[in-house]
Amino acid sequence: MTDEIQKPPATAHETPTMLKVLLVDDQRIIGEAVRRMLRTQTDIEFHFCQNSGDALSTAETIKPTIILQDLIMPDIDGLEMVRRFRQNSTTAMVPLIVLSSKEDASTKADSFRAGANDYLVKLPEEIELLARVRYHCAAYNLRLQLDQAMTELLLQQKELEQQKLAAESANQAKSSFLANMSHELRTPLNAIIGYSEMLQEQAEDEGHPDYLPDLRKIHTAGHHLLSLINDVLDLSKIEAGKITLFLEDFSIKKAVDDVLALTQPLVQKNRNRLTLTGSPDAGTMHADALKLRQILFNLLGNACKFTSDGTVELHVAAHLTSNGNPGIRFTVRDSGIGMTAEQVAKLFQPFSQAESSTTRKYGGTGLGLSITKSFVELMGGQVHVESEPGKGSAFIVTLPLTVHDPEQPPQS
Amino acid sequence: MKILLVEDNEMNRDMLSRRLIRRGFEVVMAEDGQRAIDMAASEAPDLILMDISLPIVNGWEATRSIRSNPATAQIPIIALTANATDTDRTEALAAGCNDYDTKPVDVVRLLEKINALLPSA
């Protein structure tokens, strides 16, 4: 089977397709000659038309892989036939070889101008005809495959874009749901906190001290729930890109003192010792004071939560930012349970505490550090962690002394 | 000292008014922004506590309206909102509020702000 060798090797994923050769020639004898040449080729299907009217309709029906077109026909100029094939949507790109008894340069040139891809003088040798037919068919089939692959690719790309849009809108919906939900939850919570506070005042004034511990528990639990809701609200705003900075000049010492006062109850809870070291009288900074307090409170709160009968240290020091501007460094160091490298790695991801058992034992939403990191970065700073299991952790926050609003370009 | 408390939530209104009364303030109340504008003129309070998310006329608009009336323009206003956002803080000051606090109200902190704004009696 020598003709098997001539076939292009079929790749694994492509099904061998029949090559459809359409010969348009008014002479039956030519038709028979070509048919004979192709007869041994098992993958070639031969079609023959003797007049122009049949040729186009046959082409539209069989969708040829290649067209062989005679130039001299009784009912039509062969070149006109070539042009019609080119204008027809089915055959516009199908390879077309002109078969002609003429051999002069101008006929060849006319043929190519009309849209032919190749030119053979009648009657070619079998080997030449086959070689040309196979060459053009292979090129055409590759082109079809490429077109199909491109179409599929564009379709997939379109689908992916739609999926991306859908995902973005779902994420937007989630953020706004969280924001609305948090807001709705706060209203009744305000009442719980307010009335329990009021009852405490009344219990004190009207001599019912035995009610006080329970009322304090309601009040504390209410505040705890409020801080969790606030975390969720903050995170939903961060995710929706709706956090803005409120920049002002403030005393670093005052901010630190405020946070330490707030932290005091947490320090006492696990019998820890809190120290302030370094140079807390570091002057003033231009930043979002509320967010700085929240950052420090989160870090100190965590340190107190994960340390018992130990020490929690807040160290304040001057610092140079990576681009040489004056900055400040806050280090919160504890002697608590510490973390492994794996735990540190996912520390700043929202909703991830070191382990779910940690959540059960220590509480919290697992949002604090994620929020802390976002706030620090929004102010142009960085946060690093150093930790060792059983030995404690250190969270190092560096911030520029003058924070610029990321939404407004810094003034020179 | 008379305080006009503008708050649409009934429980918040009840709770905050009782706590202010316990501390010796006279409290009059409005449930929406329009009532707030009217009562600022008719009651002539010494200070207004203004919730922001109010029906009919919201707190920002009510504040602007009170500021634009020469009879009420000088009354100190403290904005109260559940949203502790910076936008709110900026907007409160832009609308003409003298100060700003977030809910749930910390009474000690709120009293400090009230006393800082009241004419020393």
Side-chain angles (χ1 to χ4, degrees):
Chain A
M1 294 281 279
T2 50
D3 52 345
E4 285 292 318
I5 299 161
Q6 290 169 315
K7 286 186 203 169
T11 50
H13 62 273
E14 108 192 13
T15 49
T17 48
M18 292 300 281
L19 307 181
K20 294 173 185 167
V21 177
L22 172 63
L23 171 65
V24 185
D25 197 311
D26 60 318
Q27 290 175 281
R28 177 165 293 277
I29 186 165
I30 301 290
E32 280 313 306
V34 173
R35 184 193 304 280
R36 214 165 298 139
M37 287 183 203
L38 302 177
R39 193 176 46 199
T40 55
Q41 309 298 311
T42 52
D43 64 332
I44 291 181
E45 198 179 289
F46 181 66
H47 300 266
F48 178 49
C49 285
Q50 274 181 280
N51 64 64
S52 59
D54 287 353
L56 271 178
S57 63
T58 306
E60 281 176 355
T61 314
I62 66 162
K63 298 188 170 58
T65 322
I66 188 164
I67 297 164
L68 306 175
Q69 173 68 50
D70 178 28
L71 272 196
I72 302 158
M73 296 182 72
D75 63 334
I76 193 170
D77 175 17
L79 288 176
E80 178 54 27
M81 209 48 229
V82 172
R83 286 185 204 102
R84 288 193 189 170
F85 277 128
R86 282 297 167 251
Q87 281 155 14
N88 184 293
S89 63
T90 311
T91 55
M93 306 306 259
V94 174
L96 190 150
I97 304 178
V98 162
L99 273 185
S100 170
S101 47
K102 294 184 186 170
E103 213 174 336
D104 58 294
S106 78
T107 309
K108 285 187 182 174
D110 288 345
S111 300
F112 286 116
R113 269 185 218 112
N117 303 94
D118 208 342
Y119 192 100
L120 278 173
V121 177
K122 277 203 257 192
L123 249 179
E125 292 296 314
E126 182 180 320
I127 190 160
E128 184 178 12
L129 179 73
L130 276 175
R132 303 263 182 126
V133 164
R134 288 211 176 276
Y135 172 78
H136 287 292
C137 285
Y140 180 62
N141 278 337
L142 274 177
R143 188 202 172 101
L144 289 182
Q145 286 172 19
L146 202 67
D147 283 353
Q148 197 187 347
M150 275 305 286
T151 311
E152 280 170 17
L153 207 65
L154 287 174
L155 207 72
Q156 281 175 4
Q157 200 182 343
K158 217 171 171 182
E159 272 173 28
L160 281 176
E161 272 165 22
Q162 277 167 354
Q163 285 170 4
K164 186 172 167 259
L165 284 178
E168 278 169 0
S169 110
N171 198 37
Q172 190 64 42
K174 183 202 72 179
S175 293
S176 85
F177 169 78
L178 281 176
N180 292 336
M181 192 66 190
S182 306
H183 182 72
E184 292 306 315
L185 290 171
R186 285 169 63 123
T187 304
L189 197 51
N190 285 339
I192 294 173
I193 292 171
Y195 279 107
S196 66
E197 234 170 66
M198 191 166 79
L199 279 174
Q200 282 183 61
E201 289 166 15
Q202 283 176 330
E204 277 174 2
D205 292 356
E206 292 161 23
H208 301 289
D210 45 329
Y211 291 164
L212 281 174
D214 286 352
L215 288 170
R216 273 192 203 113
K217 280 175 199 160
I218 295 173
H219 188 246
T220 305
H223 263 292
H224 183 214
L225 185 52
L226 184 67
S227 70
L228 299 183
I229 291 170
N230 285 343
D231 277 1
V232 172
L233 189 63
D234 275 345
L235 190 80
S236 66
K237 279 190 204 138
I238 289 167
E239 288 194 342
K242 281 183 187 157
I243 289 274
T244 49
L245 291 179
F246 186 83
L247 299 176
E248 57 188 333
D249 290 320
F250 60 90
S251 148
I252 295 168
K253 171 121 180 55
K254 172 86 166 62
V256 166
D257 285 346
D258 284 353
V259 173
L260 291 183
L262 272 176
T263 316
Q264 223 28 257
L266 301 173
V267 176
Q268 287 155 7
K269 199 174 168 198
N270 288 345
R271 302 161 306 276
N272 290 313
R273 203 161 56 83
L274 175 66
T275 56
L276 176 61
T277 61
S279 42
D281 297 316
T284 61
M285 68 187 289
H286 182 75
D288 189 317
L290 211 66
K291 290 193 176 58
L292 176 67
R293 280 179 217 195
Q294 204 171 332
I295 290 164
L296 294 178
F297 184 73
N298 271 345
L299 295 179
L300 285 167
N302 276 348
C304 293
K305 201 180 335 180
F306 296 109
T307 308
S308 294
D309 302 297
T311 55
V312 174
E313 176 194 355
L314 173 60
H315 183 88
V316 185
H319 171 79
L320 271 187
T321 64
S322 53
N323 44 19
N325 292 324
I328 185 147
R329 188 178 64 230
F330 300 96
T331 307
V332 175
R333 194 181 300 278
D334 66 59
S335 61
I337 58 174
M339 287 169 290
T340 64
E342 293 79 42
Q343 290 171 331
V344 170
K346 54 178 186 176
L347 199 57
F348 292 102
Q349 289 167 16
F351 298 105
S352 89
Q353 280 187 342
E355 281 169 40
S356 52
S357 63
T358 316
T359 312
R360 283 198 296 277
K361 186 170 172 192
Y362 297 99
T365 47
L367 295 178
L369 281 177
S370 169
I371 293 166
T372 298
K373 185 169 192 268
S374 297
F375 283 180
V376 170
E377 287 172 357
L378 202 62
M379 288 199 276
Q382 286 163 321
V383 53
H384 302 285
V385 191
E386 291 164 6
S387 189
E388 212 178 313
K391 296 206 171 164
S393 306
F395 286 79
I396 303 128
V397 171
T398 53
L399 287 169
L401 271 188
T402 302
V403 171
H404 295 290
D405 197 326
E407 284 174 12
Q408 289 161 11
Q411 287 153 7
S412 51
Chain B
M1 286 292 155
K2 190 197 274 185
I3 292 179
L4 170 59
L5 172 61
V6 190
E7 163 72 77
D8 65 322
N9 182 282
E10 193 190 336
M11 279 202 287
N12 282 339
R13 204 166 56 231
D14 170 63
M15 184 240 313
L16 196 52
S17 63
R18 281 164 65 188
R19 298 182 74 183
L20 290 169
I21 290 166
R22 278 172 59 81
R23 284 170 171 81
F25 290 99
E26 182 189 349
V27 179
V28 289
M29 288 178 275
E31 296 168 31
D32 63 62
Q34 188 53 55
R35 285 286 292 155
I37 297 165
D38 299 344
M39 288 177 74
S42 64
E43 294 283 341
D46 297 293
L47 184 137
I48 301 172
L49 292 175
M50 178 78 77
D51 182 29
I52 291 312
S53 48
L54 290 170
I56 304 174
V57 174
N58 75 30
W60 307 135
E61 291 168 36
T63 300
R64 287 200 179 88
S65 174
I66 290 167
R67 283 283 172 264
S68 67
N69 177 355
T72 56
Q74 301 305 318
I75 304 173
I77 301 177
I78 299 177
L80 293 181
T81 135
N83 281 346
T85 65
D86 309 310
T87 328
D88 286 348
R89 207 171 358 165
T90 316
E91 261 190 76
L93 302 177
C97 294
N98 302 73
D99 207 342
Y100 173 94
D101 209 346
T102 55
K103 293 192 272 185
V105 166
D106 176 336
V107 169
V108 176
R109 188 179 63 199
L110 182 63
L111 282 174
E112 275 175 22
K113 293 185 176 182
I114 290 175
N115 287 326
L117 287 171
L118 281 178
S120 42

